[in-house]
Amino acid sequence: MADLLKLFHKNATVLEERGSFIIRQLCLLMTAEDIYRSLSEILLDYEDLRFAYTIVQTLNTIMLTSSELFDLRNQLKNLKTDESCSLFCCLYRTWCHSPVATVSLCFLTKNYKHACDLLMLFGDLNLTLEFLTEVDQMVQLLESPIFAYLRLELLDVENNCDLIKSLYGLLMILPQSEAFHLLRKRLQCLPNLSLYSSSDSKKY
């Protein structure tokens, strides 16, 4: 894995044009968990922070979009074993090279409270066009089938306040772009909590 990262570092064209394919194929030949653990551990102490950021972005996109990583996503969505928790911690430390990727990892693993806390810190960052583009792309991903479980959790308004607050946090960060309107429409679909309360009261 170290040699692969050296190749990507030396030749940005290989990373850009073939990086995703190479990593996905490695995940098929070995296991996605082993590949991601190994790359994360190496990147953690990488001196070139810009390169580490780029690789984390690449790994995060692959993890959230590729069918080859279905099992890895399921493992991370259910942090009920020591192994899955260890994997999350391993990825989290390295994912911190990219604030937006870190938030998306928290969404994937249902760590909504932490995602909300991180988003509140975004106001202190330099919100560059590149950063806002990443947030825009994350909102698009939240509308993908992979995050269907997250959208369904919005039905339970009372028990998912941190998730809802974090999505509103994203909304406040975004300029009024297509992603902004997409997320706003999604949040407008939230059930009316008063209707739930009224329905429950009629049972007694």
Side-chain angles (χ1 to χ4, degrees), residues 138-167:
M138 180 168 64
V139 170
Q140 301 286 348
L141 279 173
L142 291 176
E143 288 294 319
S144 70
I146 286 171
F147 281 104
Y149 70 92
L150 180 148
R151 299 193 298 275
L152 287 170
E153 288 185 344
L154 292 173
L155 292 172
D156 188 2
V157 175
E158 191 171 4
N159 293 312
N160 284 295
C161 293
D162 290 322
L163 170 58
I164 294 168
K165 186 177 178 180
S166 64
L167 293 179

PDB file of all heavy atoms in Angstrom, residues 138-167:
ATOM      1  N   MET A 138     -21.669  16.391  -1.080  1.00  0.00           N
ATOM      2  CA  MET A 138     -22.144  15.545   0.008  1.00  0.00           C
ATOM      3  C   MET A 138     -23.669  15.557   0.079  1.00  0.00           C
ATOM      4  O   MET A 138     -24.302  14.522   0.304  1.00  0.00           O
ATOM      5  CB  MET A 138     -21.557  15.990   1.351  1.00  0.00           C
ATOM      6  CG  MET A 138     -22.019  15.125   2.518  1.00  0.00           C
ATOM      7  SD  MET A 138     -21.098  15.396   4.046  1.00  0.00           S
ATOM      8  CE  MET A 138     -21.529  17.087   4.400  1.00  0.00           C
ATOM      9  N   VAL A 139     -24.269  16.722  -0.129  1.00  0.00           N
ATOM     10  CA  VAL A 139     -25.731  16.819  -0.136  1.00  0.00           C
ATOM     11  C   VAL A 139     -26.307  15.957  -1.259  1.00  0.00           C
ATOM     12  O   VAL A 139     -27.315  15.262  -1.070  1.00  0.00           O
ATOM     13  CB  VAL A 139     -26.178  18.287  -0.283  1.00  0.00           C
ATOM     14  CG1 VAL A 139     -27.680  18.370  -0.548  1.00  0.00           C
ATOM     15  CG2 VAL A 139     -25.821  19.072   0.971  1.00  0.00           C
ATOM     16  N   GLN A 140     -25.660  15.982  -2.414  1.00  0.00           N
ATOM     17  CA  GLN A 140     -26.109  15.139  -3.525  1.00  0.00           C
ATOM     18  C   GLN A 140     -26.040  13.664  -3.135  1.00  0.00           C
ATOM     19  O   GLN A 140     -26.951  12.883  -3.444  1.00  0.00           O
ATOM     20  CB  GLN A 140     -25.232  15.386  -4.764  1.00  0.00           C
ATOM     21  CG  GLN A 140     -25.208  16.821  -5.268  1.00  0.00           C
ATOM     22  CD  GLN A 140     -26.475  17.238  -5.989  1.00  0.00           C
ATOM     23  OE1 GLN A 140     -27.305  16.410  -6.324  1.00  0.00           O
ATOM     24  NE2 GLN A 140     -26.625  18.534  -6.222  1.00  0.00           N
ATOM     25  N   LEU A 141     -24.970  13.279  -2.430  1.00  0.00           N
ATOM     26  CA  LEU A 141     -24.817  11.887  -1.996  1.00  0.00           C
ATOM     27  C   LEU A 141     -25.890  11.490  -0.983  1.00  0.00           C
ATOM     28  O   LEU A 141     -26.333  10.335  -0.960  1.00  0.00           O
ATOM     29  CB  LEU A 141     -23.429  11.671  -1.382  1.00  0.00           C
ATOM     30  CG  LEU A 141     -22.272  11.451  -2.353  1.00  0.00           C
ATOM     31  CD1 LEU A 141     -20.950  11.414  -1.597  1.00  0.00           C
ATOM     32  CD2 LEU A 141     -22.463  10.151  -3.129  1.00  0.00           C
ATOM     33  N   LEU A 142     -26.295  12.433  -0.149  1.00  0.00           N
ATOM     34  CA  LEU A 142     -27.329  12.133   0.847  1.00  0.00           C
ATOM     35  C   LEU A 142     -28.659  11.776   0.195  1.00  0.00           C
ATOM     36  O   LEU A 142     -29.525  11.171   0.828  1.00  0.00           O
ATOM     37  CB  LEU A 142     -27.514  13.326   1.796  1.00  0.00           C
ATOM     38  CG  LEU A 142     -26.347  13.616   2.747  1.00  0.00           C
ATOM     39  CD1 LEU A 142     -26.623  14.874   3.559  1.00  0.00           C
ATOM     40  CD2 LEU A 142     -26.082  12.435   3.677  1.00  0.00           C
ATOM     41  N   GLU A 143     -28.812  12.143  -1.072  1.00  0.00           N
ATOM     42  CA  GLU A 143     -30.027  11.800  -1.812  1.00  0.00           C
ATOM     43  C   GLU A 143     -29.884  10.481  -2.571  1.00  0.00           C
ATOM     44  O   GLU A 143     -30.810  10.059  -3.256  1.00  0.00           O
ATOM     45  CB  GLU A 143     -30.372  12.923  -2.798  1.00  0.00           C
ATOM     46  CG  GLU A 143     -30.894  14.183  -2.130  1.00  0.00           C
ATOM     47  CD  GLU A 143     -32.233  13.961  -1.446  1.00  0.00           C
ATOM     48  OE1 GLU A 143     -33.095  13.270  -2.018  1.00  0.00           O
ATOM     49  OE2 GLU A 143     -32.412  14.453  -0.320  1.00  0.00           O
ATOM     50  N   SER A 144     -28.738   9.835  -2.449  1.00  0.00           N
ATOM     51  CA  SER A 144     -28.490   8.585  -3.168  1.00  0.00           C
ATOM     52  C   SER A 144     -29.094   7.404  -2.406  1.00  0.00           C
ATOM     53  O   SER A 144     -29.405   7.508  -1.210  1.00  0.00           O
ATOM     54  CB  SER A 144     -26.989   8.371  -3.347  1.00  0.00           C
ATOM     55  OG  SER A 144     -26.377   8.081  -2.094  1.00  0.00           O
ATOM     56  N   PRO A 145     -29.269   6.255  -3.075  1.00  0.00           N
ATOM     57  CA  PRO A 145     -29.827   5.070  -2.401  1.00  0.00           C
ATOM     58  C   PRO A 145     -29.025   4.632  -1.178  1.00  0.00           C
ATOM     59  O   PRO A 145     -29.594   4.076  -0.232  1.00  0.00           O
ATOM     60  CB  PRO A 145     -29.774   3.998  -3.501  1.00  0.00           C
ATOM     61  CG  PRO A 145     -29.840   4.761  -4.777  1.00  0.00           C
ATOM     62  CD  PRO A 145     -29.073   6.028  -4.520  1.00  0.00           C
ATOM     63  N   ILE A 146     -27.730   4.880  -1.177  1.00  0.00           N
ATOM     64  CA  ILE A 146     -26.883   4.446  -0.065  1.00  0.00           C
ATOM     65  C   ILE A 146     -27.314   5.083   1.254  1.00  0.00           C
ATOM     66  O   ILE A 146     -27.200   4.478   2.321  1.00  0.00           O
ATOM     67  CB  ILE A 146     -25.404   4.766  -0.380  1.00  0.00           C
ATOM     68  CG1 ILE A 146     -24.886   3.784  -1.436  1.00  0.00           C
ATOM     69  CG2 ILE A 146     -24.536   4.716   0.871  1.00  0.00           C
ATOM     70  CD1 ILE A 146     -23.525   4.112  -1.986  1.00  0.00           C
ATOM     71  N   PHE A 147     -27.849   6.301   1.191  1.00  0.00           N
ATOM     72  CA  PHE A 147     -28.273   6.989   2.408  1.00  0.00           C
ATOM     73  C   PHE A 147     -29.789   6.948   2.602  1.00  0.00           C
ATOM     74  O   PHE A 147     -30.344   7.778   3.326  1.00  0.00           O
ATOM     75  CB  PHE A 147     -27.785   8.439   2.394  1.00  0.00           C
ATOM     76  CG  PHE A 147     -26.340   8.594   2.775  1.00  0.00           C
ATOM     77  CD1 PHE A 147     -25.377   8.841   1.812  1.00  0.00           C
ATOM     78  CD2 PHE A 147     -25.938   8.475   4.094  1.00  0.00           C
ATOM     79  CE1 PHE A 147     -24.043   8.975   2.155  1.00  0.00           C
ATOM     80  CE2 PHE A 147     -24.608   8.607   4.459  1.00  0.00           C
ATOM     81  CZ  PHE A 147     -23.652   8.858   3.482  1.00  0.00           C
ATOM     82  N   ALA A 148     -30.448   5.961   2.002  1.00  0.00           N
ATOM     83  CA  ALA A 148     -31.899   5.827   2.182  1.00  0.00           C
ATOM     84  C   ALA A 148     -32.245   5.627   3.656  1.00  0.00           C
ATOM     85  O   ALA A 148     -33.246   6.159   4.153  1.00  0.00           O
ATOM     86  CB  ALA A 148     -32.426   4.663   1.345  1.00  0.00           C
ATOM     87  N   TYR A 149     -31.412   4.863   4.370  1.00  0.00           N
ATOM     88  CA  TYR A 149     -31.677   4.614   5.793  1.00  0.00           C
ATOM     89  C   TYR A 149     -31.658   5.916   6.591  1.00  0.00           C
ATOM     90  O   TYR A 149     -32.446   6.096   7.527  1.00  0.00           O
ATOM     91  CB  TYR A 149     -30.639   3.633   6.365  1.00  0.00           C
ATOM     92  CG  TYR A 149     -29.255   4.206   6.494  1.00  0.00           C
ATOM     93  CD1 TYR A 149     -28.837   4.819   7.670  1.00  0.00           C
ATOM     94  CD2 TYR A 149     -28.364   4.173   5.424  1.00  0.00           C
ATOM     95  CE1 TYR A 149     -27.569   5.368   7.779  1.00  0.00           C
ATOM     96  CE2 TYR A 149     -27.101   4.719   5.528  1.00  0.00           C
ATOM     97  CZ  TYR A 149     -26.710   5.309   6.704  1.00  0.00           C
ATOM     98  OH  TYR A 149     -25.457   5.864   6.803  1.00  0.00           O
ATOM     99  N   LEU A 150     -30.766   6.821   6.221  1.00  0.00           N
ATOM    100  CA  LEU A 150     -30.679   8.110   6.921  1.00  0.00           C
ATOM    101  C   LEU A 150     -31.947   8.923   6.677  1.00  0.00           C
ATOM    102  O   LEU A 150     -32.502   9.518   7.609  1.00  0.00           O
ATOM    103  CB  LEU A 150     -29.434   8.862   6.443  1.00  0.00           C
ATOM    104  CG  LEU A 150     -29.157  10.240   7.052  1.00  0.00           C
ATOM    105  CD1 LEU A 150     -27.643  10.489   7.132  1.00  0.00           C
ATOM    106  CD2 LEU A 150     -29.792  11.357   6.231  1.00  0.00           C
ATOM    107  N   ARG A 151     -32.419   8.932   5.447  1.00  0.00           N
ATOM    108  CA  ARG A 151     -33.629   9.701   5.130  1.00  0.00           C
ATOM    109  C   ARG A 151     -34.846   9.118   5.849  1.00  0.00           C
ATOM    110  O   ARG A 151     -35.728   9.857   6.295  1.00  0.00           O
ATOM    111  CB  ARG A 151     -33.842   9.743   3.616  1.00  0.00           C
ATOM    112  CG  ARG A 151     -32.695  10.412   2.869  1.00  0.00           C
ATOM    113  CD  ARG A 151     -33.064  10.738   1.430  1.00  0.00           C
ATOM    114  NE  ARG A 151     -33.380   9.568   0.639  1.00  0.00           N
ATOM    115  CZ  ARG A 151     -32.477   8.815   0.005  1.00  0.00           C
ATOM    116  NH1 ARG A 151     -31.187   9.110   0.100  1.00  0.00           N
ATOM    117  NH2 ARG A 151     -32.854   7.778  -0.725  1.00  0.00           N
ATOM    118  N   LEU A 152     -34.888   7.795   5.971  1.00  0.00           N
ATOM    119  CA  LEU A 152     -36.000   7.165   6.681  1.00  0.00           C
ATOM    120  C   LEU A 152     -35.975   7.503   8.172  1.00  0.00           C
ATOM    121  O   LEU A 152     -37.031   7.596   8.811  1.00  0.00           O
ATOM    122  CB  LEU A 152     -35.956   5.644   6.483  1.00  0.00           C
ATOM    123  CG  LEU A 152     -36.373   5.159   5.091  1.00  0.00           C
ATOM    124  CD1 LEU A 152     -36.058   3.679   4.922  1.00  0.00           C
ATOM    125  CD2 LEU A 152     -37.860   5.413   4.848  1.00  0.00           C
ATOM    126  N   GLU A 153     -34.786   7.695   8.706  1.00  0.00           N
ATOM    127  CA  GLU A 153     -34.685   8.054  10.121  1.00  0.00           C
ATOM    128  C   GLU A 153     -35.255   9.443  10.395  1.00  0.00           C
ATOM    129  O   GLU A 153     -35.581   9.770  11.536  1.00  0.00           O
ATOM    130  CB  GLU A 153     -33.228   7.960  10.581  1.00  0.00           C
ATOM    131  CG  GLU A 153     -32.742   6.516  10.693  1.00  0.00           C
ATOM    132  CD  GLU A 153     -31.342   6.397  11.265  1.00  0.00           C
ATOM    133  OE1 GLU A 153     -30.625   7.417  11.295  1.00  0.00           O
ATOM    134  OE2 GLU A 153     -30.975   5.289  11.674  1.00  0.00           O
ATOM    135  N   LEU A 154     -35.399  10.243   9.352  1.00  0.00           N
ATOM    136  CA  LEU A 154     -36.003  11.567   9.518  1.00  0.00           C
ATOM    137  C   LEU A 154     -37.484  11.472   9.881  1.00  0.00           C
ATOM    138  O   LEU A 154     -38.075  12.446  10.355  1.00  0.00           O
ATOM    139  CB  LEU A 154     -35.843  12.384   8.231  1.00  0.00           C
ATOM    140  CG  LEU A 154     -34.410  12.799   7.868  1.00  0.00           C
ATOM    141  CD1 LEU A 154     -34.384  13.438   6.488  1.00  0.00           C
ATOM    142  CD2 LEU A 154     -33.839  13.750   8.909  1.00  0.00           C
ATOM    143  N   LEU A 155     -38.081  10.300   9.655  1.00  0.00           N
ATOM    144  CA  LEU A 155     -39.481  10.115  10.032  1.00  0.00           C
ATOM    145  C   LEU A 155     -39.650  10.131  11.547  1.00  0.00           C
ATOM    146  O   LEU A 155     -40.706  10.507  12.057  1.00  0.00           O
ATOM    147  CB  LEU A 155     -40.011   8.785   9.473  1.00  0.00           C
ATOM    148  CG  LEU A 155     -40.151   8.699   7.950  1.00  0.00           C
ATOM    149  CD1 LEU A 155     -40.498   7.281   7.538  1.00  0.00           C
ATOM    150  CD2 LEU A 155     -41.206   9.678   7.450  1.00  0.00           C
ATOM    151  N   ASP A 156     -38.606   9.710  12.242  1.00  0.00           N
ATOM    152  CA  ASP A 156     -38.643   9.707  13.708  1.00  0.00           C
ATOM    153  C   ASP A 156     -38.038  11.019  14.204  1.00  0.00           C
ATOM    154  O   ASP A 156     -36.905  11.066  14.678  1.00  0.00           O
ATOM    155  CB  ASP A 156     -37.865   8.501  14.239  1.00  0.00           C
ATOM    156  CG  ASP A 156     -38.023   8.326  15.742  1.00  0.00           C
ATOM    157  OD1 ASP A 156     -38.762   9.122  16.367  1.00  0.00           O
ATOM    158  OD2 ASP A 156     -37.404   7.396  16.294  1.00  0.00           O
ATOM    159  N   VAL A 157     -38.816  12.065  14.065  1.00  0.00           N
ATOM    160  CA  VAL A 157     -38.329  13.418  14.371  1.00  0.00           C
ATOM    161  C   VAL A 157     -37.873  13.538  15.819  1.00  0.00           C
ATOM    162  O   VAL A 157     -36.810  14.092  16.118  1.00  0.00           O
ATOM    163  CB  VAL A 157     -39.433  14.455  14.072  1.00  0.00           C
ATOM    164  CG1 VAL A 157     -38.982  15.847  14.489  1.00  0.00           C
ATOM    165  CG2 VAL A 157     -39.805  14.425  12.600  1.00  0.00           C
ATOM    166  N   GLU A 158     -38.657  12.997  16.712  1.00  0.00           N
ATOM    167  CA  GLU A 158     -38.404  13.177  18.142  1.00  0.00           C
ATOM    168  C   GLU A 158     -37.073  12.581  18.578  1.00  0.00           C
ATOM    169  O   GLU A 158     -36.397  13.130  19.454  1.00  0.00           O
ATOM    170  CB  GLU A 158     -39.548  12.552  18.948  1.00  0.00           C
ATOM    171  CG  GLU A 158     -39.518  12.898  20.424  1.00  0.00           C
ATOM    172  CD  GLU A 158     -40.772  12.441  21.147  1.00  0.00           C
ATOM    173  OE1 GLU A 158     -41.625  11.785  20.510  1.00  0.00           O
ATOM    174  OE2 GLU A 158     -40.901  12.742  22.343  1.00  0.00           O
ATOM    175  N   ASN A 159     -36.681  11.464  17.957  1.00  0.00           N
ATOM    176  CA  ASN A 159     -35.463  10.770  18.383  1.00  0.00           C
ATOM    177  C   ASN A 159     -34.265  11.031  17.474  1.00  0.00           C
ATOM    178  O   ASN A 159     -33.217  10.394  17.638  1.00  0.00           O
ATOM    179  CB  ASN A 159     -35.723   9.260  18.461  1.00  0.00           C
ATOM    180  CG  ASN A 159     -36.697   8.908  19.566  1.00  0.00           C
ATOM    181  OD1 ASN A 159     -36.559   9.376  20.696  1.00  0.00           O
ATOM    182  ND2 ASN A 159     -37.701   8.103  19.241  1.00  0.00           N
ATOM    183  N   ASN A 160     -34.417  11.925  16.520  1.00  0.00           N
ATOM    184  CA  ASN A 160     -33.307  12.207  15.606  1.00  0.00           C
ATOM    185  C   ASN A 160     -33.056  13.707  15.469  1.00  0.00           C
ATOM    186  O   ASN A 160     -32.788  14.210  14.377  1.00  0.00           O
ATOM    187  CB  ASN A 160     -33.589  11.586  14.229  1.00  0.00           C
ATOM    188  CG  ASN A 160     -33.367  10.085  14.227  1.00  0.00           C
ATOM    189  OD1 ASN A 160     -32.249   9.608  14.410  1.00  0.00           O
ATOM    190  ND2 ASN A 160     -34.438   9.331  14.035  1.00  0.00           N
ATOM    191  N   CYS A 161     -33.132  14.392  16.592  1.00  0.00           N
ATOM    192  CA  CYS A 161     -32.927  15.848  16.581  1.00  0.00           C
ATOM    193  C   CYS A 161     -31.528  16.223  16.097  1.00  0.00           C
ATOM    194  O   CYS A 161     -31.356  17.222  15.388  1.00  0.00           O
ATOM    195  CB  CYS A 161     -33.164  16.418  17.977  1.00  0.00           C
ATOM    196  SG  CYS A 161     -34.879  16.296  18.525  1.00  0.00           S
ATOM    197  N   ASP A 162     -30.521  15.428  16.472  1.00  0.00           N
ATOM    198  CA  ASP A 162     -29.150  15.747  16.067  1.00  0.00           C
ATOM    199  C   ASP A 162     -28.977  15.609  14.558  1.00  0.00           C
ATOM    200  O   ASP A 162     -28.283  16.414  13.928  1.00  0.00           O
ATOM    201  CB  ASP A 162     -28.153  14.835  16.788  1.00  0.00           C
ATOM    202  CG  ASP A 162     -28.052  15.149  18.272  1.00  0.00           C
ATOM    203  OD1 ASP A 162     -28.105  16.340  18.625  1.00  0.00           O
ATOM    204  OD2 ASP A 162     -27.927  14.209  19.075  1.00  0.00           O
ATOM    205  N   LEU A 163     -29.605  14.593  13.982  1.00  0.00           N
ATOM    206  CA  LEU A 163     -29.549  14.417  12.529  1.00  0.00           C
ATOM    207  C   LEU A 163     -30.207  15.601  11.827  1.00  0.00           C
ATOM    208  O   LEU A 163     -29.643  16.171  10.883  1.00  0.00           O
ATOM    209  CB  LEU A 163     -30.246  13.111  12.133  1.00  0.00           C
ATOM    210  CG  LEU A 163     -30.483  12.892  10.637  1.00  0.00           C
ATOM    211  CD1 LEU A 163     -29.175  12.931   9.862  1.00  0.00           C
ATOM    212  CD2 LEU A 163     -31.218  11.577  10.403  1.00  0.00           C
ATOM    213  N   ILE A 164     -31.377  15.966  12.291  1.00  0.00           N
ATOM    214  CA  ILE A 164     -32.105  17.077  11.670  1.00  0.00           C
ATOM    215  C   ILE A 164     -31.327  18.385  11.815  1.00  0.00           C
ATOM    216  O   ILE A 164     -31.195  19.161  10.861  1.00  0.00           O
ATOM    217  CB  ILE A 164     -33.510  17.202  12.294  1.00  0.00           C
ATOM    218  CG1 ILE A 164     -34.338  15.959  11.953  1.00  0.00           C
ATOM    219  CG2 ILE A 164     -34.215  18.466  11.813  1.00  0.00           C
ATOM    220  CD1 ILE A 164     -35.623  15.831  12.741  1.00  0.00           C
ATOM    221  N   LYS A 165     -30.782  18.605  12.996  1.00  0.00           N
ATOM    222  CA  LYS A 165     -30.013  19.827  13.226  1.00  0.00           C
ATOM    223  C   LYS A 165     -28.772  19.868  12.338  1.00  0.00           C
ATOM    224  O   LYS A 165     -28.414  20.932  11.809  1.00  0.00           O
ATOM    225  CB  LYS A 165     -29.606  19.910  14.698  1.00  0.00           C
ATOM    226  CG  LYS A 165     -28.918  21.218  15.071  1.00  0.00           C
ATOM    227  CD  LYS A 165     -28.601  21.261  16.563  1.00  0.00           C
ATOM    228  CE  LYS A 165     -27.878  22.553  16.923  1.00  0.00           C
ATOM    229  NZ  LYS A 165     -27.550  22.606  18.378  1.00  0.00           N
ATOM    230  N   SER A 166     -28.134  18.718  12.146  1.00  0.00           N
ATOM    231  CA  SER A 166     -26.934  18.684  11.303  1.00  0.00           C
ATOM    232  C   SER A 166     -27.284  18.968   9.844  1.00  0.00           C
ATOM    233  O   SER A 166     -26.528  19.648   9.136  1.00  0.00           O
ATOM    234  CB  SER A 166     -26.221  17.331  11.432  1.00  0.00           C
ATOM    235  OG  SER A 166     -27.030  16.274  10.957  1.00  0.00           O
ATOM    236  N   LEU A 167     -28.434  18.488   9.388  1.00  0.00           N
ATOM    237  CA  LEU A 167     -28.855  18.771   8.013  1.00  0.00           C
ATOM    238  C   LEU A 167     -29.197  20.249   7.840  1.00  0.00           C
ATOM    239  O   LEU A 167     -28.891  20.853   6.803  1.00  0.00           O
ATOM    240  CB  LEU A 167     -30.048  17.895   7.630  1.00  0.00           C
ATOM    241  CG  LEU A 167     -29.763  16.390   7.537  1.00  0.00           C
ATOM    242  CD1 LEU A 167     -31.027  15.623   7.181  1.00  0.00           C
ATOM    243  CD2 LEU A 167     -28.665  16.097   6.518  1.00  0.00           C
TER     244      LEU A 167
END
